[in-house]
Amino acid sequence: LLDLGAGSGYTSLRLAELGFDVHAYDVNTEQFQPPALSCTKIDLNRELPESDEKIQAILALEIIEHLENPQAFLREIARVLAPGGHCLLSTPNIASLPSRLRYLFRGEFTHFTGRSAACGIRFAMRPPAMYRPCFPGCFCFSSNGPASPSGGNGNWLPAGFP
């Protein structure tokens, strides 16, 4: 499981305690605290250091809004995600009242500026039908079809995922 933008490492540690083989990545590795785990320094605006179609699960919580090119990041996730693999991605709610007011007065969404403001949360590498809101501010996709938390292609997270 890749934890992209692992931050202080709390989520990585919790997932490791649940038995997942966690590979943490962050641009600021100094803040990563679990001594039993390692965190690799990486700029998520660049190519991920993983082979094509090899990763079963990817976690990207609250990081896409910080990237220069969210669409390129999503293409990288799609490249490394194995067939049948899953990605859980969350981002701030740009449809909120504060974000809408910022757009009205400044021409940009809260947390999305410049080029990324123009694309909002449009995902470039897969058909829109493959994305489903899992819960507010969180979008899930599966490499083998529409993701849903309640059925269909069913388990949009691996067994045991919290």
Side-chain angles (χ1 to χ4, degrees):
L1 181 142
L2 297 186
D3 185 1
L4 303 178
S8 66
Y10 173 80
T11 303
S12 296
L13 178 61
R14 182 70 182 116
L15 290 168
E17 289 171 347
L18 290 169
F20 289 94
D21 180 19
V22 178
H23 300 272
Y25 291 103
D26 202 291
V27 70
N28 298 316
T29 56
E30 310 80 36
Q31 66 186 355
F32 194 81
Q33 296 184 14
L37 298 174
S38 64
C39 183
T40 303
K41 187 174 187 87
I42 185 172
D43 180 353
L44 293 172
N45 291 300
R46 309 259 184 256
E47 188 174 299
L48 295 172
E50 301 290 338
S51 300
D52 294 358
E53 299 184 345
K54 297 292 184 194
I55 305 300
Q56 290 298 317
I58 298 174
L59 193 62
L61 302 178
E62 306 293 317
I63 60 165
I64 195 168
E65 68 275 10
H66 300 282
L67 301 177
E68 292 173 356
N69 190 341
Q71 293 168 322
F73 175 69
L74 291 169
R75 283 190 291 273
E76 269 303 288
I77 288 175
R79 180 186 66 79
V80 303
L81 201 60
H86 304 284
C87 174
L88 178 63
L89 178 140
S90 68
T91 191
N93 181 1
I94 63 170
S96 69
L97 181 60
S99 188
R100 288 176 184 222
L101 290 172
R102 183 179 178 127
Y103 185 76
L104 177 66
F105 293 109
R106 293 189 178 178
E108 61 185 32
F109 291 109
T110 304
H111 303 293
F112 283 91
T113 59
R115 177 178 157 79
S116 63
C119 70
I121 307 180
R122 279 186 294 130
F123 299 124
M125 85 269 177
R126 299 202 189 264
M130 296 190 72
Y131 299 93
R132 297 285 184 264
C134 301
F135 44 88
C138 181
F139 288 82
C140 302
F141 71 85
S142 170
S143 64
N144 62 348
S148 87
S150 61
N153 279 342
N155 298 327
W156 49 272
L157 294 175
F161 203 96

